[in-house]
């Protein structure tokens, strides 16, 4: 049985609702449930709701509500959380070209784990990864579910510029760099999909609570998908989570 949620004060304009101290899909599902309930309730004075691995940050305007009033409203939502409908998770398929110029560290990851490169690709693309939270940079997904068979250490010296769409591995994590940025993860592939575009509605392709499935594509398929993305004719393939 999970511990009772705790409502904690975070400065003078935010509260944090903690559901546990572990990275766990069940805990994260409850975070998502409260996020949806709070979003639907349109709580007075609330500025933003930020779901994380195990908690929900609720920032508010002190001129329009108080810590005590908001805490009481959140407690009411928590008391009825089991009655809050949570939509079934989506699986968003992300086309990914592995190796070569797209994934310069694929060979290292394979050698580090005593596998062939195509085995690394098969393992990496054979899992639905839960998006636990968004953060670090716009559209960056914190994913759970990487196989320990392909875990790999970070680079000793981070790269100063990683192309947008790069797919990397760091220890037991995998993820996608949504925009060009520095980074120290081992790059094994790249997607032509723009995970974050401020001119698009919504600006992100995936969100917390979704799943990502990496789908291997050839360089030619990468190029054709990139053309479709640039022409705004590409749409993600979405399916329901397999029970």
């Amino acid at each position: 049985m999970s511990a009772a949620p705790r409502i904690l004060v975070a400065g003078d304009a935010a509260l944090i609702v903690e559901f546990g101290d572990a990275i766990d899909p069940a805990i994260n599902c409850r975070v998502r449930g409260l996020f949806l309930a709070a979003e639907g309730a349109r709580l007075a004075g609330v500025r933003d709701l930020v779901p994380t691995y195990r908690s929900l940050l609720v920032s508010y305007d002190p001129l329009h509500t108080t810590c005590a009033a908001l805490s009481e409203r959140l407690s009411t939502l928590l008391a009825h959380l089991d009655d809050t409908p949570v939509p079934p998770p989506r699986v968003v398929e992300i086309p990914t070209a592995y190796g070569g110029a797209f994934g310069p560290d694929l060979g290292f990851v394979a050698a580090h784990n005593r596998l062939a490169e195509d085995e690394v690709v098969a393992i990496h693309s054979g899992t639905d990864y839960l998006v636990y939270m968004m953060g670090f940079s716009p559209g960056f997904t914190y994913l759970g579910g990487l196989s320990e068979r392909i875990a790999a250490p970070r680079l000793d010296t981070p790269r100063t510029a990683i192309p947008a769409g790069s797919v990397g591995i760091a220890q037991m994590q995998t993820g996608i760099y949504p925009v060009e940025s520095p980074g120290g993860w081992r790059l094994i592939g790249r997607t032509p999909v723009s995970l974050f575009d401020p001119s698009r509605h919504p600006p992100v392709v995936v969100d917390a609570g979704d799943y990502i499935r990496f789908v291997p594509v050839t360089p030619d398929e990468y190029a054709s998908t990139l053309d479709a993305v640039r022409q705004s004719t590409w749409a993600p393939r979405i399916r329901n989570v397999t029970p």
Side-chain angles (χ1 to χ4, degrees):
M1 183 181 218
S2 59
R6 300 192 304 160
I7 300 177
L8 307 173
V9 175
D12 59 359
L15 293 173
I16 293 176
V17 184
E18 282 193 346
F19 286 87
D21 57 5
I23 298 175
D24 179 86
I27 290 175
N28 190 252
C29 185
R30 290 180 65 77
V31 172
R32 184 173 178 234
L34 181 60
F35 168 78
L36 293 171
E39 189 177 55
R42 298 183 179 275
L43 302 176
V46 170
R47 286 173 164 166
D48 199 10
L49 300 166
V50 183
T52 73
Y53 278 100
R54 59 186 185 86
S55 63
L56 180 69
L57 173 70
V58 183
S59 62
Y60 63 91
D61 184 345
L63 298 178
H64 289 86
T65 190
T66 65
C67 176
L70 184 55
S71 180
E72 183 176 348
R73 291 288 284 119
L74 289 170
S75 295
T76 300
L77 293 178
L78 286 168
H80 298 90
L81 194 56
D82 291 339
D83 301 326
T84 301
V86 177
R90 309 181 309 159
V91 180
V92 181
E93 297 188 354
I94 301 296
T96 304
Y98 287 90
F102 299 110
D105 299 321
L106 178 60
F108 173 88
V109 174
H112 179 76
N113 290 288
R114 300 179 181 178
L115 297 169
E117 290 186 10
D118 59 353
E119 290 179 295
V120 174
V121 173
I123 294 169
H124 187 263
S125 62
T127 298
D128 292 338
Y129 296 94
L130 173 61
V131 181
Y132 274 98
M133 61 176 284
M134 308 288 286
F136 167 61
S137 64
F140 187 89
T141 55
Y142 285 88
L143 305 177
L146 182 72
S147 170
E148 62 181 10
R149 295 174 61 199
I150 56 174
R154 297 170 184 265
L155 294 170
D156 292 334
T157 302
R159 294 179 172 94
T160 57
I162 291 176
S166 293
V167 177
I169 287 177
Q171 277 84 40
M172 288 292 295
Q173 300 180 93
T174 188
I176 307 168
Y177 288 87
V179 297
E180 182 178 307
S181 66
W185 291 25
R186 302 283 177 174
L187 305 182
I188 62 170
R190 192 185 308 165
T191 179
V193 175
S194 176
L195 267 70
F196 174 76
D197 182 349
S199 67
R200 187 173 57 205
H201 182 72
V204 292
V205 173
V206 295
D207 210 338
D210 289 334
Y211 284 77
I212 281 179
R213 167 72 70 134
F214 295 96
V215 179
V217 297
T218 66
D220 286 345
E221 290 170 328
Y222 177 99
S224 62
T225 302
L226 182 58
D227 286 341
V229 169
R230 287 171 173 169
Q231 296 169 22
S232 300
T233 59
W234 179 85
R237 182 178 175 184
I238 298 172
R239 57 180 172 81
N240 292 329
V241 173
T242 302

